[in-house]
Amino acid sequence: MNISILGAGNEVTGSAFLVSNGKAKVLVDCGQFQGGRREENKNRIPKAMSPRELDAVVISHGHLDHIGRLPLLVMKGFSGPVYATPATIDVAKLILKDAAKVQESEAARINRKRMRAGEPLISPLFTDEDVDKTVRLFTPLDYDGPHPVAPGVQVQMMESGHVLGSAIINMDVEDGTRERKVVFSGDLGPLNLPILKDPARIDRADWVFMESTYGDRDHRPLDATLDEFNSLIREAVKRKGKILVPSFALGRTQQIVYHLAEAFHNRIVEPFPVYIDSPLAIAATEVYARHPDLYDSEMREFVLGNKLRDALKTVRFSQTADESKSINDVPGPCLILAGSGMCTAGWILHHLKHNLWRPETTVIFVGYQAPGTLGRLLIDGRPQVSVFGEKIAVNATIRSLGGFSAHAGQSDLVNWYACLAGSRPRTTLVHGEERGRKPLARIIKQRWNIDCDLPFTGETLSMN
Ligand SMILES: [Zn+2]
Ligand SMILES: [Zn+2]
């Protein structure tokens, strides 16, 4: 049996792993590389992915870095099934449609300039039409099984606690006369992520592919993060200011709304208006509402007793740009959740433009801000920034809260691995930069005397 790393080897994006057992070829994830032009240039279908010979694709979850090359695979001739949990299929449709929209409008913007300069035009990575062709191949696979997905390959999906529908892919592969159990961790959530169940524990594998995004550190505890979040909100409400929360539409927005509902329900903060200011976030929230079977016990109790609905009476939704702009005229206090999460585009920009200069405003960052983004400039304390080409003074309170990650930190990764370690699996660390996976490999070596593979993208590993 061979497994080729076709993305997310020594990086955290572009997930794609090709399993070949001589009888079948199954691709696990088909993700997009993200983060700057150099990464994005890697968004091609390598020959090794062999789109016309592939029997099936199995998807761990709906983030773009795990599904974003699927339309390219289909363009190159793949027409087999793409297996994923029903919730991941719902999520993936939203994410791919949105990505096509963003890419098409970005290409149109660049082409307007290129046309004026007499330069050759570019085409988007994929279009809405390409997404429609891809979506038709989705085939639901429930969290049970094992189910056959290709000759000699069976798959069991298990909760990974990272985002709605996310799964650990537990694969039984016929390898000559033997049967091998190969486990792909996908992205693992932290313990006690709100709304979702904790990652399933697995106690046996012959080979494990494990993510290592935060293999070098633990996140700040969620409790401490929530205390800070609540006190920031209380102060902002006192000042009657607006609270801007730049947030990813899927996962983070629902998590923040959940924490607000808890704070309102427990009277930590008196209810005040909350705006979900993003059609994508609204659609993603509807997907969460369609899959109550995936909630953890706290969330289920919160929903069943109508407590969630009662706590969220002050939540408003804006579907159109005009509705979003009309929030400008609403007096504070209110909280606005809008994209993009790093303030690189989207409706958050006009809220920043109209409110950053006001001292009563609070901006709360709840996710990672990459270097060079407006979000990072604000966290770094710039006294003035440019929004839509206009200079805006920064008089608002700016805070970045570190504890909201949807990824397991080092301790949670080690604890998850501890269940498997007794079966002494071959261990391959992926989906991590060197600074994440090397410390994790060191701990696994020290504690269990198991040497980990740290393959680079493009390598093929074999098991004899
Ligand atoms: Zn993910
Ligand atoms: Zn990922």
Side-chain angles (χ1 to χ4, degrees), residues 70-76 78 93 96-105 124-138:
L70 276 175
L72 308 186
L73 193 70
V74 175
M75 279 183 234
K76 291 278 183 195
F78 175 70
K93 285 179 193 168
L96 287 175
K97 286 255 164 194
D98 185 66
K101 201 167 90 185
V102 171
Q103 284 158 190
E104 285 179 84
S105 73
L125 202 53
F126 54 81
T127 62
D128 193 59
E129 214 176 302
D130 300 320
V131 172
D132 286 338
K133 286 181 198 151
T134 305
V135 161
R136 274 182 228 131
L137 304 179
F138 279 132

PDB file of all heavy atoms in Angstrom, residues 70-76 78 93 96-105 124-138:
ATOM      1  N   LEU A  70     -11.497  20.354  -5.364  1.00  0.00           N
ATOM      2  CA  LEU A  70     -12.441  19.396  -5.953  1.00  0.00           C
ATOM      3  C   LEU A  70     -12.931  19.826  -7.340  1.00  0.00           C
ATOM      4  O   LEU A  70     -12.936  19.002  -8.265  1.00  0.00           O
ATOM      5  CB  LEU A  70     -13.653  19.216  -5.026  1.00  0.00           C
ATOM      6  CG  LEU A  70     -13.537  18.212  -3.877  1.00  0.00           C
ATOM      7  CD1 LEU A  70     -14.795  18.278  -3.014  1.00  0.00           C
ATOM      8  CD2 LEU A  70     -13.323  16.799  -4.385  1.00  0.00           C
ATOM      9  N   PRO A  71     -13.334  21.112  -7.519  1.00  0.00           N
ATOM     10  CA  PRO A  71     -13.801  21.492  -8.866  1.00  0.00           C
ATOM     11  C   PRO A  71     -12.701  21.318  -9.925  1.00  0.00           C
ATOM     12  O   PRO A  71     -13.001  20.962 -11.070  1.00  0.00           O
ATOM     13  CB  PRO A  71     -14.176  22.979  -8.709  1.00  0.00           C
ATOM     14  CG  PRO A  71     -14.471  23.134  -7.249  1.00  0.00           C
ATOM     15  CD  PRO A  71     -13.520  22.206  -6.554  1.00  0.00           C
ATOM     16  N   LEU A  72     -11.437  21.523  -9.545  1.00  0.00           N
ATOM     17  CA  LEU A  72     -10.337  21.334 -10.508  1.00  0.00           C
ATOM     18  C   LEU A  72     -10.205  19.862 -10.875  1.00  0.00           C
ATOM     19  O   LEU A  72      -9.942  19.503 -12.025  1.00  0.00           O
ATOM     20  CB  LEU A  72      -9.008  21.835  -9.913  1.00  0.00           C
ATOM     21  CG  LEU A  72      -8.950  23.236  -9.351  1.00  0.00           C
ATOM     22  CD1 LEU A  72      -7.516  23.596  -8.943  1.00  0.00           C
ATOM     23  CD2 LEU A  72      -9.445  24.251 -10.372  1.00  0.00           C
ATOM     24  N   LEU A  73     -10.415  19.001  -9.882  1.00  0.00           N
ATOM     25  CA  LEU A  73     -10.342  17.558 -10.110  1.00  0.00           C
ATOM     26  C   LEU A  73     -11.426  17.129 -11.109  1.00  0.00           C
ATOM     27  O   LEU A  73     -11.181  16.312 -11.999  1.00  0.00           O
ATOM     28  CB  LEU A  73     -10.541  16.836  -8.775  1.00  0.00           C
ATOM     29  CG  LEU A  73     -10.215  15.353  -8.717  1.00  0.00           C
ATOM     30  CD1 LEU A  73      -8.717  15.131  -8.833  1.00  0.00           C
ATOM     31  CD2 LEU A  73     -10.730  14.727  -7.419  1.00  0.00           C
ATOM     32  N   VAL A  74     -12.608  17.717 -10.943  1.00  0.00           N
ATOM     33  CA  VAL A  74     -13.721  17.402 -11.845  1.00  0.00           C
ATOM     34  C   VAL A  74     -13.425  17.928 -13.251  1.00  0.00           C
ATOM     35  O   VAL A  74     -13.663  17.243 -14.247  1.00  0.00           O
ATOM     36  CB  VAL A  74     -15.044  17.967 -11.273  1.00  0.00           C
ATOM     37  CG1 VAL A  74     -16.202  17.773 -12.243  1.00  0.00           C
ATOM     38  CG2 VAL A  74     -15.352  17.312  -9.923  1.00  0.00           C
ATOM     39  N   MET A  75     -12.851  19.134 -13.334  1.00  0.00           N
ATOM     40  CA  MET A  75     -12.467  19.674 -14.649  1.00  0.00           C
ATOM     41  C   MET A  75     -11.473  18.767 -15.356  1.00  0.00           C
ATOM     42  O   MET A  75     -11.452  18.693 -16.572  1.00  0.00           O
ATOM     43  CB  MET A  75     -11.799  21.050 -14.478  1.00  0.00           C
ATOM     44  CG  MET A  75     -12.748  22.193 -14.293  1.00  0.00           C
ATOM     45  SD  MET A  75     -11.740  23.706 -14.213  1.00  0.00           S
ATOM     46  CE  MET A  75     -12.304  24.374 -12.703  1.00  0.00           C
ATOM     47  N   LYS A  76     -10.632  18.083 -14.565  1.00  0.00           N
ATOM     48  CA  LYS A  76      -9.606  17.201 -15.152  1.00  0.00           C
ATOM     49  C   LYS A  76     -10.139  15.800 -15.429  1.00  0.00           C
ATOM     50  O   LYS A  76      -9.385  14.888 -15.739  1.00  0.00           O
ATOM     51  CB  LYS A  76      -8.393  17.094 -14.207  1.00  0.00           C
ATOM     52  CG  LYS A  76      -7.587  18.360 -14.094  1.00  0.00           C
ATOM     53  CD  LYS A  76      -6.619  18.491 -15.260  1.00  0.00           C
ATOM     54  CE  LYS A  76      -5.777  19.734 -15.097  1.00  0.00           C
ATOM     55  NZ  LYS A  76      -5.088  20.079 -16.335  1.00  0.00           N
ATOM     56  N   PHE A  78     -12.405  13.789 -13.343  1.00  0.00           N
ATOM     57  CA  PHE A  78     -12.914  12.891 -12.298  1.00  0.00           C
ATOM     58  C   PHE A  78     -14.438  12.904 -12.303  1.00  0.00           C
ATOM     59  O   PHE A  78     -15.056  13.978 -12.347  1.00  0.00           O
ATOM     60  CB  PHE A  78     -12.392  13.319 -10.916  1.00  0.00           C
ATOM     61  CG  PHE A  78     -12.985  12.511  -9.782  1.00  0.00           C
ATOM     62  CD1 PHE A  78     -12.640  11.179  -9.621  1.00  0.00           C
ATOM     63  CD2 PHE A  78     -13.909  13.075  -8.914  1.00  0.00           C
ATOM     64  CE1 PHE A  78     -13.196  10.420  -8.598  1.00  0.00           C
ATOM     65  CE2 PHE A  78     -14.474  12.323  -7.886  1.00  0.00           C
ATOM     66  CZ  PHE A  78     -14.112  10.991  -7.726  1.00  0.00           C
ATOM     67  N   LYS A  93     -21.140  22.764  -0.042  1.00  0.00           N
ATOM     68  CA  LYS A  93     -21.846  23.490  -1.110  1.00  0.00           C
ATOM     69  C   LYS A  93     -21.735  24.996  -0.884  1.00  0.00           C
ATOM     70  O   LYS A  93     -21.438  25.758  -1.800  1.00  0.00           O
ATOM     71  CB  LYS A  93     -23.331  23.091  -1.129  1.00  0.00           C
ATOM     72  CG  LYS A  93     -23.591  21.732  -1.721  1.00  0.00           C
ATOM     73  CD  LYS A  93     -25.091  21.451  -1.663  1.00  0.00           C
ATOM     74  CE  LYS A  93     -25.356  19.980  -1.957  1.00  0.00           C
ATOM     75  NZ  LYS A  93     -26.742  19.588  -1.634  1.00  0.00           N
ATOM     76  N   LEU A  96     -17.969  26.202  -1.353  1.00  0.00           N
ATOM     77  CA  LEU A  96     -17.494  26.196  -2.748  1.00  0.00           C
ATOM     78  C   LEU A  96     -18.194  27.276  -3.570  1.00  0.00           C
ATOM     79  O   LEU A  96     -17.573  27.950  -4.391  1.00  0.00           O
ATOM     80  CB  LEU A  96     -17.712  24.821  -3.390  1.00  0.00           C
ATOM     81  CG  LEU A  96     -16.778  23.702  -2.910  1.00  0.00           C
ATOM     82  CD1 LEU A  96     -17.169  22.366  -3.535  1.00  0.00           C
ATOM     83  CD2 LEU A  96     -15.314  24.009  -3.234  1.00  0.00           C
ATOM     84  N   LYS A  97     -19.511  27.438  -3.334  1.00  0.00           N
ATOM     85  CA  LYS A  97     -20.258  28.489  -4.059  1.00  0.00           C
ATOM     86  C   LYS A  97     -19.677  29.866  -3.727  1.00  0.00           C
ATOM     87  O   LYS A  97     -19.506  30.711  -4.596  1.00  0.00           O
ATOM     88  CB  LYS A  97     -21.739  28.460  -3.656  1.00  0.00           C
ATOM     89  CG  LYS A  97     -22.500  27.306  -4.242  1.00  0.00           C
ATOM     90  CD  LYS A  97     -23.371  27.809  -5.372  1.00  0.00           C
ATOM     91  CE  LYS A  97     -23.837  26.632  -6.225  1.00  0.00           C
ATOM     92  NZ  LYS A  97     -24.402  27.057  -7.493  1.00  0.00           N
ATOM     93  N   ASP A  98     -19.410  30.078  -2.441  1.00  0.00           N
ATOM     94  CA  ASP A  98     -18.861  31.366  -2.019  1.00  0.00           C
ATOM     95  C   ASP A  98     -17.463  31.575  -2.615  1.00  0.00           C
ATOM     96  O   ASP A  98     -17.147  32.664  -3.087  1.00  0.00           O
ATOM     97  CB  ASP A  98     -18.798  31.427  -0.487  1.00  0.00           C
ATOM     98  CG  ASP A  98     -18.343  32.791   0.009  1.00  0.00           C
ATOM     99  OD1 ASP A  98     -19.098  33.764  -0.204  1.00  0.00           O
ATOM    100  OD2 ASP A  98     -17.238  32.893   0.566  1.00  0.00           O
ATOM    101  N   ALA A  99     -16.649  30.527  -2.621  1.00  0.00           N
ATOM    102  CA  ALA A  99     -15.286  30.642  -3.168  1.00  0.00           C
ATOM    103  C   ALA A  99     -15.352  30.997  -4.649  1.00  0.00           C
ATOM    104  O   ALA A  99     -14.578  31.837  -5.135  1.00  0.00           O
ATOM    105  CB  ALA A  99     -14.519  29.346  -2.959  1.00  0.00           C
ATOM    106  N   ALA A 100     -16.284  30.360  -5.390  1.00  0.00           N
ATOM    107  CA  ALA A 100     -16.411  30.656  -6.821  1.00  0.00           C
ATOM    108  C   ALA A 100     -16.779  32.125  -7.016  1.00  0.00           C
ATOM    109  O   ALA A 100     -16.207  32.822  -7.863  1.00  0.00           O
ATOM    110  CB  ALA A 100     -17.475  29.753  -7.453  1.00  0.00           C
ATOM    111  N   LYS A 101     -17.712  32.609  -6.176  1.00  0.00           N
ATOM    112  CA  LYS A 101     -18.146  34.004  -6.286  1.00  0.00           C
ATOM    113  C   LYS A 101     -16.969  34.948  -6.042  1.00  0.00           C
ATOM    114  O   LYS A 101     -16.733  35.880  -6.817  1.00  0.00           O
ATOM    115  CB  LYS A 101     -19.264  34.253  -5.259  1.00  0.00           C
ATOM    116  CG  LYS A 101     -20.132  35.439  -5.555  1.00  0.00           C
ATOM    117  CD  LYS A 101     -21.385  35.434  -4.703  1.00  0.00           C
ATOM    118  CE  LYS A 101     -21.127  36.176  -3.404  1.00  0.00           C
ATOM    119  NZ  LYS A 101     -22.248  36.117  -2.463  1.00  0.00           N
ATOM    120  N   VAL A 102     -16.218  34.683  -4.983  1.00  0.00           N
ATOM    121  CA  VAL A 102     -15.062  35.527  -4.650  1.00  0.00           C
ATOM    122  C   VAL A 102     -14.035  35.486  -5.780  1.00  0.00           C
ATOM    123  O   VAL A 102     -13.524  36.519  -6.218  1.00  0.00           O
ATOM    124  CB  VAL A 102     -14.420  35.064  -3.309  1.00  0.00           C
ATOM    125  CG1 VAL A 102     -13.095  35.768  -3.061  1.00  0.00           C
ATOM    126  CG2 VAL A 102     -15.381  35.306  -2.155  1.00  0.00           C
ATOM    127  N   GLN A 103     -13.734  34.282  -6.277  1.00  0.00           N
ATOM    128  CA  GLN A 103     -12.720  34.139  -7.333  1.00  0.00           C
ATOM    129  C   GLN A 103     -13.161  34.813  -8.633  1.00  0.00           C
ATOM    130  O   GLN A 103     -12.357  35.438  -9.318  1.00  0.00           O
ATOM    131  CB  GLN A 103     -12.430  32.652  -7.584  1.00  0.00           C
ATOM    132  CG  GLN A 103     -11.560  32.057  -6.487  1.00  0.00           C
ATOM    133  CD  GLN A 103     -11.644  30.542  -6.361  1.00  0.00           C
ATOM    134  OE1 GLN A 103     -11.126  29.998  -5.411  1.00  0.00           O
ATOM    135  NE2 GLN A 103     -12.297  29.877  -7.289  1.00  0.00           N
ATOM    136  N   GLU A 104     -14.448  34.669  -8.975  1.00  0.00           N
ATOM    137  CA  GLU A 104     -14.934  35.287 -10.205  1.00  0.00           C
ATOM    138  C   GLU A 104     -14.867  36.809 -10.118  1.00  0.00           C
ATOM    139  O   GLU A 104     -14.458  37.475 -11.059  1.00  0.00           O
ATOM    140  CB  GLU A 104     -16.367  34.828 -10.514  1.00  0.00           C
ATOM    141  CG  GLU A 104     -16.422  33.405 -11.053  1.00  0.00           C
ATOM    142  CD  GLU A 104     -17.841  32.920 -11.335  1.00  0.00           C
ATOM    143  OE1 GLU A 104     -18.356  33.221 -12.413  1.00  0.00           O
ATOM    144  OE2 GLU A 104     -18.424  32.250 -10.456  1.00  0.00           O
ATOM    145  N   SER A 105     -15.239  37.369  -8.951  1.00  0.00           N
ATOM    146  CA  SER A 105     -15.223  38.835  -8.874  1.00  0.00           C
ATOM    147  C   SER A 105     -13.790  39.350  -8.769  1.00  0.00           C
ATOM    148  O   SER A 105     -13.470  40.419  -9.304  1.00  0.00           O
ATOM    149  CB  SER A 105     -16.120  39.353  -7.745  1.00  0.00           C
ATOM    150  OG  SER A 105     -15.531  39.111  -6.512  1.00  0.00           O
ATOM    151  N   PRO A 124     -10.735  32.757 -13.407  1.00  0.00           N
ATOM    152  CA  PRO A 124     -10.801  32.335 -12.004  1.00  0.00           C
ATOM    153  C   PRO A 124     -10.428  30.861 -11.887  1.00  0.00           C
ATOM    154  O   PRO A 124     -10.538  30.111 -12.869  1.00  0.00           O
ATOM    155  CB  PRO A 124     -12.263  32.565 -11.631  1.00  0.00           C
ATOM    156  CG  PRO A 124     -13.012  32.620 -12.907  1.00  0.00           C
ATOM    157  CD  PRO A 124     -12.059  33.091 -13.948  1.00  0.00           C
ATOM    158  N   LEU A 125     -10.014  30.449 -10.693  1.00  0.00           N
ATOM    159  CA  LEU A 125      -9.630  29.053 -10.451  1.00  0.00           C
ATOM    160  C   LEU A 125     -10.784  28.127 -10.848  1.00  0.00           C
ATOM    161  O   LEU A 125     -10.577  27.119 -11.505  1.00  0.00           O
ATOM    162  CB  LEU A 125      -9.295  28.893  -8.960  1.00  0.00           C
ATOM    163  CG  LEU A 125      -8.418  27.735  -8.529  1.00  0.00           C
ATOM    164  CD1 LEU A 125      -7.123  27.696  -9.321  1.00  0.00           C
ATOM    165  CD2 LEU A 125      -8.130  27.838  -7.038  1.00  0.00           C
ATOM    166  N   PHE A 126     -12.000  28.482 -10.434  1.00  0.00           N
ATOM    167  CA  PHE A 126     -13.194  27.762 -10.889  1.00  0.00           C
ATOM    168  C   PHE A 126     -14.394  28.678 -10.781  1.00  0.00           C
ATOM    169  O   PHE A 126     -14.341  29.710 -10.102  1.00  0.00           O
ATOM    170  CB  PHE A 126     -13.410  26.446 -10.124  1.00  0.00           C
ATOM    171  CG  PHE A 126     -13.442  26.574  -8.624  1.00  0.00           C
ATOM    172  CD1 PHE A 126     -14.585  26.996  -7.956  1.00  0.00           C
ATOM    173  CD2 PHE A 126     -12.315  26.242  -7.870  1.00  0.00           C
ATOM    174  CE1 PHE A 126     -14.611  27.087  -6.568  1.00  0.00           C
ATOM    175  CE2 PHE A 126     -12.333  26.334  -6.478  1.00  0.00           C
ATOM    176  CZ  PHE A 126     -13.478  26.756  -5.827  1.00  0.00           C
ATOM    177  N   THR A 127     -15.464  28.304 -11.481  1.00  0.00           N
ATOM    178  CA  THR A 127     -16.653  29.150 -11.525  1.00  0.00           C
ATOM    179  C   THR A 127     -17.820  28.439 -10.834  1.00  0.00           C
ATOM    180  O   THR A 127     -17.714  27.265 -10.464  1.00  0.00           O
ATOM    181  CB  THR A 127     -17.073  29.416 -12.981  1.00  0.00           C
ATOM    182  OG1 THR A 127     -17.402  28.152 -13.566  1.00  0.00           O
ATOM    183  CG2 THR A 127     -15.939  30.056 -13.772  1.00  0.00           C
ATOM    184  N   ASP A 128     -18.923  29.166 -10.730  1.00  0.00           N
ATOM    185  CA  ASP A 128     -20.136  28.621 -10.137  1.00  0.00           C
ATOM    186  C   ASP A 128     -20.596  27.352 -10.877  1.00  0.00           C
ATOM    187  O   ASP A 128     -21.042  26.384 -10.272  1.00  0.00           O
ATOM    188  CB  ASP A 128     -21.219  29.706 -10.196  1.00  0.00           C
ATOM    189  CG  ASP A 128     -22.403  29.357  -9.335  1.00  0.00           C
ATOM    190  OD1 ASP A 128     -22.207  29.181  -8.112  1.00  0.00           O
ATOM    191  OD2 ASP A 128     -23.514  29.227  -9.869  1.00  0.00           O
ATOM    192  N   GLU A 129     -20.437  27.381 -12.203  1.00  0.00           N
ATOM    193  CA  GLU A 129     -20.837  26.227 -13.021  1.00  0.00           C
ATOM    194  C   GLU A 129     -19.986  24.996 -12.665  1.00  0.00           C
ATOM    195  O   GLU A 129     -20.493  23.877 -12.573  1.00  0.00           O
ATOM    196  CB  GLU A 129     -20.586  26.601 -14.484  1.00  0.00           C
ATOM    197  CG  GLU A 129     -21.556  26.039 -15.469  1.00  0.00           C
ATOM    198  CD  GLU A 129     -21.221  26.601 -16.848  1.00  0.00           C
ATOM    199  OE1 GLU A 129     -21.218  27.856 -16.998  1.00  0.00           O
ATOM    200  OE2 GLU A 129     -20.897  25.802 -17.718  1.00  0.00           O
ATOM    201  N   ASP A 130     -18.679  25.221 -12.478  1.00  0.00           N
ATOM    202  CA  ASP A 130     -17.794  24.109 -12.088  1.00  0.00           C
ATOM    203  C   ASP A 130     -18.213  23.539 -10.735  1.00  0.00           C
ATOM    204  O   ASP A 130     -18.140  22.330 -10.504  1.00  0.00           O
ATOM    205  CB  ASP A 130     -16.329  24.590 -11.993  1.00  0.00           C
ATOM    206  CG  ASP A 130     -15.819  25.146 -13.317  1.00  0.00           C
ATOM    207  OD1 ASP A 130     -16.148  24.557 -14.360  1.00  0.00           O
ATOM    208  OD2 ASP A 130     -15.104  26.168 -13.289  1.00  0.00           O
ATOM    209  N   VAL A 131     -18.652  24.436  -9.851  1.00  0.00           N
ATOM    210  CA  VAL A 131     -19.100  23.973  -8.526  1.00  0.00           C
ATOM    211  C   VAL A 131     -20.347  23.109  -8.668  1.00  0.00           C
ATOM    212  O   VAL A 131     -20.456  22.046  -8.039  1.00  0.00           O
ATOM    213  CB  VAL A 131     -19.366  25.172  -7.579  1.00  0.00           C
ATOM    214  CG1 VAL A 131     -20.011  24.707  -6.277  1.00  0.00           C
ATOM    215  CG2 VAL A 131     -18.072  25.921  -7.290  1.00  0.00           C
ATOM    216  N   ASP A 132     -21.281  23.523  -9.547  1.00  0.00           N
ATOM    217  CA  ASP A 132     -22.498  22.723  -9.745  1.00  0.00           C
ATOM    218  C   ASP A 132     -22.156  21.310 -10.199  1.00  0.00           C
ATOM    219  O   ASP A 132     -22.752  20.330  -9.736  1.00  0.00           O
ATOM    220  CB  ASP A 132     -23.417  23.403 -10.779  1.00  0.00           C
ATOM    221  CG  ASP A 132     -24.105  24.625 -10.180  1.00  0.00           C
ATOM    222  OD1 ASP A 132     -24.217  24.700  -8.942  1.00  0.00           O
ATOM    223  OD2 ASP A 132     -24.517  25.519 -10.956  1.00  0.00           O
ATOM    224  N   LYS A 133     -21.188  21.190 -11.115  1.00  0.00           N
ATOM    225  CA  LYS A 133     -20.794  19.856 -11.596  1.00  0.00           C
ATOM    226  C   LYS A 133     -20.183  19.028 -10.466  1.00  0.00           C
ATOM    227  O   LYS A 133     -20.366  17.817 -10.398  1.00  0.00           O
ATOM    228  CB  LYS A 133     -19.755  19.988 -12.720  1.00  0.00           C
ATOM    229  CG  LYS A 133     -20.362  20.456 -14.031  1.00  0.00           C
ATOM    230  CD  LYS A 133     -19.291  20.546 -15.107  1.00  0.00           C
ATOM    231  CE  LYS A 133     -19.794  21.405 -16.253  1.00  0.00           C
ATOM    232  NZ  LYS A 133     -18.706  22.099 -16.946  1.00  0.00           N
ATOM    233  N   THR A 134     -19.461  19.695  -9.571  1.00  0.00           N
ATOM    234  CA  THR A 134     -18.792  19.009  -8.464  1.00  0.00           C
ATOM    235  C   THR A 134     -19.807  18.528  -7.432  1.00  0.00           C
ATOM    236  O   THR A 134     -19.751  17.392  -6.955  1.00  0.00           O
ATOM    237  CB  THR A 134     -17.802  19.981  -7.781  1.00  0.00           C
ATOM    238  OG1 THR A 134     -16.923  20.494  -8.778  1.00  0.00           O
ATOM    239  CG2 THR A 134     -17.007  19.301  -6.695  1.00  0.00           C
ATOM    240  N   VAL A 135     -20.753  19.423  -7.140  1.00  0.00           N
ATOM    241  CA  VAL A 135     -21.739  19.140  -6.093  1.00  0.00           C
ATOM    242  C   VAL A 135     -22.562  17.897  -6.426  1.00  0.00           C
ATOM    243  O   VAL A 135     -22.959  17.137  -5.541  1.00  0.00           O
ATOM    244  CB  VAL A 135     -22.616  20.405  -5.918  1.00  0.00           C
ATOM    245  CG1 VAL A 135     -23.917  20.090  -5.233  1.00  0.00           C
ATOM    246  CG2 VAL A 135     -21.839  21.483  -5.159  1.00  0.00           C
ATOM    247  N   ARG A 136     -22.772  17.663  -7.726  1.00  0.00           N
ATOM    248  CA  ARG A 136     -23.553  16.484  -8.138  1.00  0.00           C
ATOM    249  C   ARG A 136     -22.888  15.169  -7.740  1.00  0.00           C
ATOM    250  O   ARG A 136     -23.532  14.131  -7.690  1.00  0.00           O
ATOM    251  CB  ARG A 136     -23.759  16.503  -9.659  1.00  0.00           C
ATOM    252  CG  ARG A 136     -24.968  17.326 -10.047  1.00  0.00           C
ATOM    253  CD  ARG A 136     -25.199  17.312 -11.548  1.00  0.00           C
ATOM    254  NE  ARG A 136     -25.409  18.686 -11.987  1.00  0.00           N
ATOM    255  CZ  ARG A 136     -24.803  19.265 -12.992  1.00  0.00           C
ATOM    256  NH1 ARG A 136     -23.957  18.592 -13.745  1.00  0.00           N
ATOM    257  NH2 ARG A 136     -25.051  20.522 -13.283  1.00  0.00           N
ATOM    258  N   LEU A 137     -21.590  15.197  -7.500  1.00  0.00           N
ATOM    259  CA  LEU A 137     -20.870  13.957  -7.174  1.00  0.00           C
ATOM    260  C   LEU A 137     -20.903  13.620  -5.677  1.00  0.00           C
ATOM    261  O   LEU A 137     -20.508  12.543  -5.267  1.00  0.00           O
ATOM    262  CB  LEU A 137     -19.411  14.065  -7.630  1.00  0.00           C
ATOM    263  CG  LEU A 137     -19.188  14.398  -9.106  1.00  0.00           C
ATOM    264  CD1 LEU A 137     -17.693  14.497  -9.403  1.00  0.00           C
ATOM    265  CD2 LEU A 137     -19.821  13.333  -9.999  1.00  0.00           C
ATOM    266  N   PHE A 138     -21.369  14.585  -4.856  1.00  0.00           N
ATOM    267  CA  PHE A 138     -21.378  14.345  -3.407  1.00  0.00           C
ATOM    268  C   PHE A 138     -22.290  13.172  -3.055  1.00  0.00           C
ATOM    269  O   PHE A 138     -23.418  13.081  -3.542  1.00  0.00           O
ATOM    270  CB  PHE A 138     -21.852  15.595  -2.650  1.00  0.00           C
ATOM    271  CG  PHE A 138     -20.772  16.631  -2.467  1.00  0.00           C
ATOM    272  CD1 PHE A 138     -21.015  17.972  -2.756  1.00  0.00           C
ATOM    273  CD2 PHE A 138     -19.525  16.269  -2.001  1.00  0.00           C
ATOM    274  CE1 PHE A 138     -20.028  18.929  -2.588  1.00  0.00           C
ATOM    275  CE2 PHE A 138     -18.523  17.224  -1.819  1.00  0.00           C
ATOM    276  CZ  PHE A 138     -18.777  18.554  -2.117  1.00  0.00           C
TER     277      PHE A 138
END
